Amino acid sequence: MLNKLFGWWNGATIGTLVTVKSRGDHVGTDEFGNRYFQSRDTKSYDGRRRRWVLYNGYADASKVPPDWHGWLRYTFDEPPSEDPLLRKAWERGHMPNLTGTPMAWLPPGSLAGEGRRPKADGDYEAWRPE
């Protein structure tokens, strides 16, 4: 219960959920479970309807796919749930930033990995002061 009251980093708080329910319209959900909303009124400073996202789990902006990011930043007028972004066959799916997670890429010899550097090949010559 305390997590829902104060734990904004692990999902929406109760206050946020009440505000969203009273002021926003659900527009769509992406493949990561993030939910997107748009305000019912145009009381924004620039006259546009405000847009926002409620993250599924930990709040991390890199979890927003490019098509929804474009809609949030008013690049696209229609949400991807109504007008999906066309994808090329060679494009990969969106992946959130994994830095700092157990799934992060660790280069060979990284101290965070195995901690063992590969032995130097024959083309390496140690520097010796003269």
Side-chain angles (χ1 to χ4, degrees), residues 34-112:
N34 301 323
R35 296 176 296 161
Y36 299 88
F37 295 87
Q38 187 165 310
S39 65
R40 293 188 182 113
D41 58 3
T42 57
K43 293 184 181 178
S44 177
Y45 66 92
D46 58 359
R48 298 187 286 191
R49 293 173 68 184
R50 192 165 177 206
R51 300 171 177 178
W52 67 89
V53 59
L54 290 182
Y55 297 103
N56 180 23
Y58 186 74
D60 179 12
S62 73
K63 289 175 21 176
V64 175
D67 45 356
W68 282 104
H69 178 81
W71 178 78
L72 285 171
R73 303 290 176 245
Y74 301 98
T75 304
F76 310 126
D77 292 329
E78 298 299 321
S81 56
E82 294 177 18
D83 186 20
L85 189 63
L86 298 176
R87 305 211 188 245
K88 306 285 185 193
W90 46 265
E91 287 183 289
R92 288 185 178 181
H94 178 71
M95 187 107 157
N97 185 356
L98 300 175
T99 302
T101 69
M103 295 174 20
W105 180 76
L106 302 172
S110 169
L111 295 177

